[in-house]
């Protein structure tokens, strides 16, 4: 086996421990919901029930890919926000779901809501990573 093959085998064997380590850094709490099927109440009002697809630990991170843009005479920096969730527990989270921060080490995040805009995938992932966009408070 080549050195590279041995390295990949080594990482694969260590992946459960690496995922556990990544999860230990997820100190905030979130609830991820998805709009469910419409429900009609006794008065005939139709509403969409929200289904909870994940509730638990999370970590927020700003990606390193900040972009600068110029609009007129204003120079602005735009980035984004990534949501990291435990790999195994969050397999049901998809693009279009809504994330609410329910507890955080940063009080400014609590109560904020974000839409899942994209999922980043890779081989040997230690966490599920999602690009999110603000949808409300």
């Amino acid at each position: 086996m080549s050195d590279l093959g041995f390295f990949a085998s080594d990482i694969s064997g260590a992946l459960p421990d690496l995922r556990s380590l990544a999860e230990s850094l997820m100190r905030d709490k979130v609830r991820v919901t998805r709009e469910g099927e419409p429900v009609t109440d006794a008065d005939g009002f139709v509403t969409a029930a929200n289904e909870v697809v994940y509730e638990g630990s999370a970590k927020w991170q700003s990606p390193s890919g900040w972009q600068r843009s110029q609009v007129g005479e204003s120079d602005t920096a735009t980035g984004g926000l990534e949501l990291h969730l435990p790999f195994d527990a969050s397999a049901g989270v998809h693009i279009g779901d809504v994330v609410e921060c329910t507890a955080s080490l940063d009080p400014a995040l609590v109560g904020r809501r974000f839409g899942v805009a994209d999922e980043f995938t890779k081989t040997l992932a230690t966490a599920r990573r999602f690009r999110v966009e603000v949808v409300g408070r």
Side-chain angles (χ1 to χ4, degrees):
M1 180 183 298
S2 73
D3 287 343
L4 187 56
F6 177 75
F7 178 73
S9 174
D10 238 15
I11 294 296
S12 294
L15 199 52
D17 289 336
L18 295 171
R19 287 179 177 165
S20 179
L21 179 61
E23 189 170 348
S24 74
L25 299 174
M26 298 177 192
R27 307 294 300 275
D28 294 352
K29 301 290 183 193
V30 298
R31 178 181 305 113
V32 182
T33 58
R34 179 176 305 137
E35 191 173 294
E37 294 296 318
V39 176
T40 304
D41 68 13
D43 297 322
F45 293 104
V46 178
T47 58
N50 285 334
E51 167 190 0
V52 176
V53 293
Y54 173 78
E55 190 162 16
S57 300
K59 179 176 84 169
W60 301 97
Q61 186 159 328
S62 295
S64 58
W66 287 87
Q67 298 177 358
R68 298 198 70 71
S69 60
Q70 189 157 358
V71 178
E73 294 182 18
S74 296
D75 188 25
T76 61
T78 59
L81 195 57
E82 281 183 14
L83 173 66
H84 296 198
L85 299 177
F87 187 81
D88 293 324
S90 61
V93 176
H94 300 296
I95 295 170
D97 291 346
V98 175
V99 180
E100 180 179 358
C101 182
T102 58
S104 177
L105 296 176
D106 179 356
L109 284 169
V110 177
R112 294 193 65 190
R113 296 179 40 169
F114 304 86
V116 176
D118 203 358
E119 180 178 2
F120 302 104
T121 57
K122 65 180 186 176
T123 305
L124 304 174
T126 56
R128 292 196 190 277
R129 293 168 177 85
F130 302 90
R131 182 173 59 86
V132 296
E133 298 173 347
V134 175
V135 294
R137 256 192 175 271

